[in-house]
Amino acid sequence: MPKTALASPETTSAKPRRAKGAVSTPDTDVDVDERVYEAVSKALLSGKLRPGTPLRERALAEAMGCTRGAIRKVLARLGAEKRLVLEYNRGAFVPNPSVEDMRNTYRARRIVEAGLVTTLFGKLTREQVAQLRKHVQAEQKAFKEGRREDAFRLAGEFHLLLAQMAGSEELQSYIQRLVSNTELYKALFDSVEAASCAPKEHEEIIEALMGPSLTRALDIAMEHLDELEQRVIAGAGAEQEVDLADLFAGVRR
């Protein structure tokens, strides 16, 4: 497993907590870390960082007006979440999964979610159905408002919500990892227009889970994943390089 250099002490030392009502001061280390983390995560999920793009510490630090130590911590965090690829002595890169990698991930999701649908079929309470529909409404709103990263995140969370309703923490953990990977695939390779179909497909899954046919519910859930897989694989191909200074210029404080 690739090793990641630790941040230097001066970038990780704790800052005094500001007293309530005190005059605001420059960003604390935590503020900076979260600002950088949110900026890079948003760039990933918005599709602005293309597959294979190297994320150089110096370029990011200059673009966002922070230390290289802060950048290093955030890149390590995103690497642990499998959102970035960390290579020893080379740095961090946006994942550039092969077609086979993506097919294997979607194959695993189909197997797991088939069991999830079977477990939940005919057993959702009124409260759970209402919760799922409210979530789908939030997805629809994000797509209509052009909030691509929020829309992709909410689309993935729909499946995590189903896993939560199944009542298995181990299942939630495993699906979280699979969804995180496919969420990134969508951001990298799927079009906004095609991805906007997700809320409608999720609504169909909710209806199918309420009955009367388990076979029909399984068919709808699997078709949903099949279409996602086909779209991201079709969208994979040659990508343009990204200028990090331009991309993150607005994050500087």
Side-chain angles (χ1 to χ4, degrees):
M1 181 177 180
K3 296 181 180 179
T4 304
L6 295 176
S8 58
E10 63 267 26
T11 62
T12 56
S13 58
K15 298 287 185 70
R17 180 178 296 177
R18 190 166 65 232
K20 185 175 182 181
V23 176
S24 61
T25 59
D27 288 349
T28 65
D29 286 347
V30 173
D31 292 334
V32 172
D33 291 351
E34 289 306 311
R35 172 165 58 87
V36 173
Y37 176 82
E38 289 177 8
V40 179
S41 295
K42 183 175 182 178
L44 282 167
L45 293 180
S46 66
K48 294 177 181 177
L49 282 172
R50 308 314 303 154
T53 299
L55 300 184
R56 306 303 185 197
E57 290 179 9
R58 183 184 299 277
L60 289 173
E62 291 176 355
M64 289 189 266
C66 63
T67 66
R68 292 180 65 178
I71 296 295
R72 192 175 304 125
K73 286 191 291 182
V74 169
L75 296 182
R77 177 178 171 185
L78 289 166
E81 294 174 357
K82 306 301 182 185
R83 291 178 179 245
L84 293 178
V85 175
L86 304 183
E87 296 187 9
Y88 186 58
N89 282 339
R90 293 194 67 226
F93 299 81
V94 176
N96 189 13
S98 67
V99 169
E100 188 58 28
D101 288 337
M102 292 189 286
R103 289 196 186 282
N104 284 336
T105 300
Y106 279 105
R107 186 179 302 119
R109 275 198 64 175
R110 278 192 291 271
I111 292 171
V112 172
E113 294 202 29
L116 185 59
V117 168
T118 301
T119 299
L120 294 176
F121 179 76
K123 297 177 182 176
L124 292 176
T125 65
R126 290 183 180 179
E127 290 76 14
Q128 288 174 326
V129 170
Q131 185 179 4
L132 290 168
R133 284 179 170 159
K134 183 177 181 180
H135 188 93
V136 170
Q137 289 172 358
E139 289 182 55
Q140 292 172 329
K141 188 172 187 292
F143 275 115
K144 287 180 179 179
E145 295 177 354
R147 293 181 285 115
R148 177 185 169 105
E149 61 274 13
D150 289 337
F152 281 160
R153 173 181 55 78
L154 288 166
E157 288 177 357
F158 173 83
H159 296 270
L160 299 180
L161 189 55
L162 290 176
Q164 179 183 335
M165 291 176 178
S168 170
E169 290 186 5
E170 290 188 6
L171 179 62
Q172 288 181 56
S173 177
Y174 186 54
I175 290 185
Q176 170 72 66
R177 187 161 73 252
L178 293 174
V179 167
S180 179
N181 286 338
T182 54
E183 186 178 272
L184 186 56
Y185 299 161
K186 285 193 299 179
L188 293 173
F189 303 120
D190 203 3
S191 68
V192 176
E193 294 76 14
S196 63
C197 297
K200 179 178 181 296
E201 294 168 358
H202 288 167
E203 183 62 43
E204 291 174 351
I205 291 174
I206 297 171
E207 293 296 326
L209 285 172
M210 296 168 64
S213 169
L214 173 58
T215 299
R216 178 59 178 159
L218 286 168
D219 286 346
I220 290 176
M222 295 306 102
E223 286 171 7
H224 174 59
L225 292 176
D226 288 345
E227 290 176 5
L228 286 175
E229 178 182 356
Q230 291 168 10
R231 290 205 307 262
V232 299
I233 289 177
E239 300 292 338
Q240 298 179 349
E241 293 184 0
V242 174
D243 187 320
L244 296 180
D246 288 343
L247 180 59
F248 293 112
V251 182
R252 175 188 290 273
R253 284 187 181 177

